[in-house]
Amino acid sequence: MMEVSEESRHVSSHVQRTILFLSAMRHFAAKLDSRGVRVRYIALEDPQNTQSFASEVTRAAKALEAAELACTLPGEWRALEMVRATGSNLKLPVTIWPDEHFLTNPEEFAQWANGRTALTMEYFYREQRRKTGYLMESVGNSPRPLGGEWNFDKENRLPFGKRGPDPRPPAPLWFRPDSITTKVMRTIKALLPDLPGDDASFGWPVTREQALAALEDFIAHRLDRFGPYEDAMWADEPTLYHSTLSCALNLKLLDPRECCEQAIAAFHAGRVPLQSAEAFVRQIIGWREFIRGVYWLEGPGYAGRNALEQHGRLPGFYWTGETDMACMKACIGQVLETGFGHHIQRLMVTGNFALISGIHPRAVSDWYLGMFVDGVDWVTLPNALGMVMHADQRPGAAPANTGLVGTKPYVASGKYIERMSNYCEQCRYRPDERTGPTACPFTVFYWDFLLRYRDRFSHNQRMRMILKNLDRISAPARTQLTIDADLLRTKFGITPAAPEKA
Ligand SMILES: Cc1cc2nc3c(=O)[nH]c(=O)nc-3n(C[C@H](O)[C@H](O)[C@H](O)COP(=O)(O)OP(=O)(O)OC[C@H]3O[C@@H](n4cnc5c(N)ncnc54)[C@H](O)[C@@H]3O)c2cc1C
Ligand code: SF4
């Protein structure tokens, strides 16, 4: 096992993400050691450490006189290619084992995808339900979903009323940093002092025991309301009814099957409604597996896609939270403080802003990869590049074809954010205004985005209604929207201001 600074620097990595990965590794190494498993562990502060993955594998292979390089399929193409290249440089055979912490492997996904014109998560999810038998019943000889529906999206997606979540959601379990974690925190402060984010609130699960406690706590206290409110947001409520288990899942402290099975058991025991159990199972056996399938299916070139040809720069406030947009300030501020944001904050606030304002997808996906404690390439990339930036259309596909992960872009004006949260109440902008000094930047960029891509999306059935609304806007008002959006892009540093003429 090796801790190399390269891994915290190839994208700018939040200090809590770095602490979490290293602390979980050190706890795991200690556990292996206590079981009598021999581990060669290179710590960050080890003077011999060359701080790069490839050179440390080479050093270890030579020191141990290795006859073979073997590893579980890593979480990113970069690491897989590095292992293969190192094996080839050292003239050693390389064995890649399947990762058993998932329900499907890339070959199975490729088989499922083969011959399909569109990859629709919903159909993949239904197959997963049939395969696992989760929340299924048999009627005669044919299996069908419990409750007669594959999903309860219509009943879910509720906003909170004016009073907000009532009662307030209990906060997730917080784990006091132990001596191993505290040492990691000190080492990182000394050796990587410039990492973004704050470490003061660090309390993520770093052991299997803590992860199991976090799972139990979620099922006992938050899962019951997870379904209905999974799309809602509320100021000063950073986690609401979400599980916050993604980092424990990605670090393999939890197995996806046990998460689903405990949620299903809670449903059968009458402790949570079907709509919440199903929504949670869907995120894990549906979205999580589907996203990973797309990542491995599309190959290393996937990261470079930019189907909408957007080239703007990531505004500085993504690194500081200093902006007068209340929703962005809250969502980014929370990420800096904790390394976490829930799905709708990622998709409909920070992500939506990036898409409609025209930021380069790679700048966006790098930010998500480094700034969230659960960031690992296989999951960040299709979410950021595909779901958020709608940039993942295959090269050469007709423009009318949709993206791979999303069949339509997830775009929304400030009015959506107003409906699903209370952020707008504290904001100097007005979500329903699209022109003038208090026009909401989301609303301006939303209409500008539709204007910029009107032709491209005109063949997409799912965009018909939205484009009809666009056509109702008068020509002068459209021109004004374009001007205002350009001014905002310059103000936020998305388009660099032209240098003044001497
Ligand atoms: C732009 C963007 C970037 C993202 N980057 C990551 C990332 O780096 N790592 C990551 O694990 N998730 C990522 N997600 C997916 C999702 O937002 C997080 O998994 C979720 O917010 C984590 O919080 P939670 O554990 O409370 O999830 P819950 O809402 O409680 O959901 C339960 C679990 O379902 C899984 N899940 C839910 N949605 C997705 C999804 N779209 N893709 C994959 N798994 C999903 C996660 O494992 C999650 O823990 C990203 C989403 C977006 C829009
Ligand atoms: S008015 Fe616009 S910028 Fe302000 S919080 Fe609402 S959506 Fe965000």
Side-chain angles (χ1 to χ4, degrees), residues 37-112:
V37 178
R38 195 158 63 99
V39 180
R40 183 180 191 271
Y41 199 100
I42 306 298
L44 196 66
E45 63 272 33
D46 184 333
Q48 310 264 301
N49 189 340
T50 54
Q51 304 294 350
S52 125
F53 207 24
S55 57
E56 277 309 302
V57 174
T58 305
R59 214 161 63 83
K62 287 184 178 160
L64 300 169
E65 296 180 8
E68 178 190 15
L69 292 188
C71 68
T72 301
L73 181 66
E76 57 179 318
W77 279 104
R78 184 183 60 95
L80 179 61
E81 286 171 344
M82 184 283 300
V83 173
R84 285 183 176 148
T86 309
S88 143
N89 288 343
L90 293 168
K91 301 197 173 30
L92 290 177
V94 175
T95 306
I96 308 290
W97 289 311
D99 189 337
E100 290 170 356
H101 285 86
F102 294 92
L103 286 90
T104 36
N105 60 42
E107 294 74 34
E108 283 168 321
F109 188 84
Q111 235 172 35
W112 174 81

Side-chain angles (χ1 to χ4, degrees), residues 59-305:
R59 214 161 63 83
K62 287 184 178 160
L64 300 169
E65 296 180 8
E68 178 190 15
L69 292 188
C71 68
T72 301
L73 181 66
E76 57 179 318
W77 279 104
R78 184 183 60 95
L80 179 61
E81 286 171 344
M82 184 283 300
V83 173
R84 285 183 176 148
T86 309
S88 143
N89 288 343
L90 293 168
K91 301 197 173 30
L92 290 177
V94 175
T95 306
I96 308 290
W97 289 311
D99 189 337
E100 290 170 356
H101 285 86
F102 294 92
L103 286 90
T104 36
N105 60 42
E107 294 74 34
E108 283 168 321
F109 188 84
Q111 235 172 35
W112 174 81
N114 189 23
R116 289 175 190 263
T117 43
L119 303 182
T120 307
M121 197 293 289
E122 182 62 30
Y123 299 129
F124 172 78
Y125 168 63
R126 291 179 189 182
E127 277 205 29
Q128 293 289 306
R129 288 272 296 275
R130 288 192 193 96
K131 188 173 109 182
T132 55
Y134 289 165
L135 297 173
M136 299 292 288
E137 62 185 355
S138 281
V139 181
N141 266 345
S142 54
R144 58 161 221 180
L146 268 182
E149 302 285 343
W150 289 104
N151 72 64
F152 299 90
D153 277 356
K154 276 191 224 110
E155 285 105 284
N156 291 346
R157 299 182 174 163
L158 296 180
F160 297 116
K162 280 272 163 237
R163 293 174 51 200
D166 184 22
R168 290 282 190 225
L173 279 189
W174 178 84
F175 302 93
R176 182 176 299 285
D178 64 4
S179 57
I180 295 184
T181 305
T182 322
K183 187 165 179 225
V184 168
M185 291 166 97
R186 276 200 305 269
T187 305
I188 290 173
K189 237 182 208 126
L191 299 183
L192 301 166
D194 51 352
L195 297 186
D198 190 357
D199 67 1
S201 68
F202 187 90
W204 296 103
V206 291
T207 63
R208 165 109 179 116
E209 293 70 26
Q210 290 178 343
L212 283 171
L215 171 61
E216 203 175 297
D217 174 70
F218 163 66
I219 295 200
H221 300 122
R222 299 191 304 285
L223 175 60
D224 58 339
R225 304 185 115 204
F226 174 84
Y229 298 110
E230 67 182 322
D231 282 7
M233 299 176 278
W234 203 255
D236 300 324
E237 289 290 350
T239 52
L240 288 167
Y241 301 104
H242 292 270
S243 69
T244 69
L245 294 173
S246 49
C247 53
L249 274 160
N250 297 351
L251 287 170
K252 296 145 208 250
L253 299 174
L254 290 175
D255 188 281
R257 299 165 191 87
E258 69 190 338
C259 295
C260 295
E261 284 159 20
Q262 290 203 26
I264 293 167
F267 159 68
H268 286 302
R271 289 191 280 132
V272 302
L274 179 58
Q275 71 188 98
S276 283
E278 186 282 321
F280 182 64
V281 167
R282 176 190 187 76
Q283 302 308 321
I284 294 188
I285 67 167
W287 276 113
R288 188 167 186 269
E289 298 282 328
F290 176 81
I291 285 287
R292 179 168 178 265
V294 169
Y295 179 81
W296 289 112
L297 182 71
E298 294 302 296
Y302 185 69
R305 291 190 194 165

Side-chain angles (χ1 to χ4, degrees), residues 231 233 327-328 331 342-353 356 368 388 408-413 416-417 420 442:
D231 282 7
M233 299 176 278
C327 55
M328 290 290 273
C331 294
H342 63 72
H343 188 66
I344 294 304
Q345 293 175 318
R346 300 187 204 196
L347 181 64
M348 299 312 292
V349 181
T350 45
N352 181 24
F353 183 89
I356 58 183
Y368 280 105
V388 158
K408 80 175 187 49
Y410 287 95
V411 285
S413 72
Y416 171 88
I417 294 173
M420 297 308 294
F442 278 82

Side-chain angles (χ1 to χ4, degrees), residues 325-327 414 417 423-424 427 429-431 440-442:
M325 291 178 278
C327 55
I417 294 173
Y423 293 134
C424 303
C427 190
Y429 297 111
R430 303 293 356 122
C440 165
F442 278 82

